[in-house]
Amino acid sequence: MNKRPFLALFVAPATLAALASAAALAAILQYAFRAYVPGSLDPGGFTLANFEALLRPLYAQVFAQTVWICLLTALITLVVAYPLAFALVRTRHAFLKSFLLITAVTPLFLGEVVRTYSWIIVLGNTGFINSILVGLGLVERPVQMMFTTFGVVVALVHVTLPVMVIMLAAALSHIDQDYEKAAISLGAGPVKAFLTVTLPLSLPGVVAGVSTAFAWTFSAFATPQMIGGGRVSMISTLVYQLGFASFNFPFAASLSITGLALTFAVLAMAKQAIRPLEKIGAH
């Protein structure tokens, strides 16, 4: 007799989704090893030329810039999200806790395109920031923030911030505050107690948040496409240009596969680099 009659109902949708994802990846993988036929949507025969073309300096630069933007976004998001998550967990005022929670989570209820359009209004030459700077006489002409790496990173931080706050808050909520009180009773100040007790114990949440922010940013398309305006190249925007502007689907597929492999490689190296810190946090 089956002791878990509903297990199959719960597992079946996940299994179907996994099979669909595997089939999609298999289709992209086989496209990556097919030749591009100019003027035709049908690919040619087997070839390794798509992966050989990725060794050109142009594409290597796009890969490096993508990794740099992802790392920068993840680290800035961590710096911004940690104080918010700490205040969210430690505050005793219900109103303030609710306000912080709503402020942190509300962006998740808006689509990425809507959030990106809001940053276009803020960062544009006639936008909110430049209007204030020019109105106060701090600058003579608008500061160029659109179509720059700065603008893309700022918008991506806004996209990844809610998830980072939630993960950090989950980690901080499991830390027994008696550990901090014990450190303070032994002579440690609030800052030292935080650096030696709270921060190490929250490292699992930090690792999870940074990894998620990096992977999420790596696959982001709407934000770098709209804020970058084609001047800030990332792997996702390059795949779009090759696939839907040049109709070079085989090369776009090889770029996607390589980008996915690069994401796993960077996350694996980061995992190995911070493993000693995770052991500290586990204790």
Side-chain angles (χ1 to χ4, degrees):
M1 182 178 178
N2 189 2
K3 298 181 179 181
R4 299 178 179 178
F6 300 104
L7 182 61
L9 296 177
F10 294 146
V11 173
T15 303
L16 292 176
L19 291 175
S21 299
L25 285 175
I28 295 175
L29 184 62
Q30 67 90 17
Y31 254 96
F33 291 96
R34 304 286 291 275
Y36 170 57
V37 180
S40 175
L41 295 179
D42 296 325
F46 177 84
T47 182
L48 295 176
N50 297 321
F51 292 96
E52 294 175 357
L54 293 177
L55 300 177
R56 298 173 184 172
L58 172 63
Y59 301 114
Q61 182 179 359
V62 173
F63 277 107
Q65 182 169 343
T66 301
V67 173
W68 167 245
I69 290 176
C70 294
L71 287 174
L72 193 61
T73 301
L75 293 177
I76 294 177
T77 305
L78 174 63
V79 173
V80 176
Y82 202 103
L84 286 174
F86 189 84
L88 178 63
V89 172
R90 296 301 176 88
T91 183
R92 298 180 180 179
H93 299 284
F95 174 79
L96 182 57
K97 186 183 288 289
S98 300
F99 175 77
L100 291 174
L101 180 62
I102 293 174
T103 303
V105 176
T106 296
L108 289 177
F109 295 94
L110 301 175
E112 185 178 357
V113 175
V114 176
R115 284 180 284 181
T116 303
Y117 267 116
S118 68
W119 278 109
I120 292 176
I121 297 173
V122 173
L123 300 175
N125 289 341
T126 58
F128 177 74
I129 295 178
N130 274 314
S131 297
I132 293 179
L133 294 177
V134 174
L136 294 176
L138 299 177
V139 294
E140 295 182 358
R141 57 184 64 183
V143 179
Q144 183 65 39
M145 289 179 282
M146 286 289 295
F147 315 129
T148 63
T149 301
F150 169 79
V152 172
V153 170
V154 168
L156 287 175
V157 167
H158 184 229
V159 172
T160 56
L161 185 62
V163 176
M164 181 75 79
V165 170
I166 292 173
M167 290 187 172
L168 291 175
L172 290 168
S173 64
H174 288 85
I175 298 177
D176 192 342
Q177 297 186 34
D178 289 339
Y179 295 148
E180 300 175 14
K181 296 178 181 178
I184 294 175
S185 67
L186 293 174
V191 176
K192 188 174 182 180
F194 171 80
L195 294 177
T196 58
V197 177
T198 307
L199 184 59
L201 291 176
S202 65
L203 283 177
V206 172
V207 173
V210 170
S211 301
T212 302
F214 180 91
W216 200 342
T217 305
F218 204 98
S219 61
F221 167 71
T223 300
Q225 177 70 13
M226 298 170 66
I227 301 295
R231 299 182 186 178
V232 180
S233 295
M234 294 183 65
I235 293 178
S236 57
T237 59
L238 188 57
V239 169
Y240 172 80
Q241 293 170 5
L242 290 170
F244 294 95
S246 303
F247 296 104
N248 190 347
F249 294 115
F251 191 40
S254 65
L255 192 63
S256 301
I257 295 298
T258 306
L260 181 62
L262 180 61
T263 304
F264 287 141
V266 172
L267 292 178
M269 289 188 292
K271 182 74 172 178
Q272 291 296 325
I274 61 181
R275 178 166 291 181
L277 298 178
E278 280 189 302
K279 293 180 179 179
I280 296 175
H283 292 85

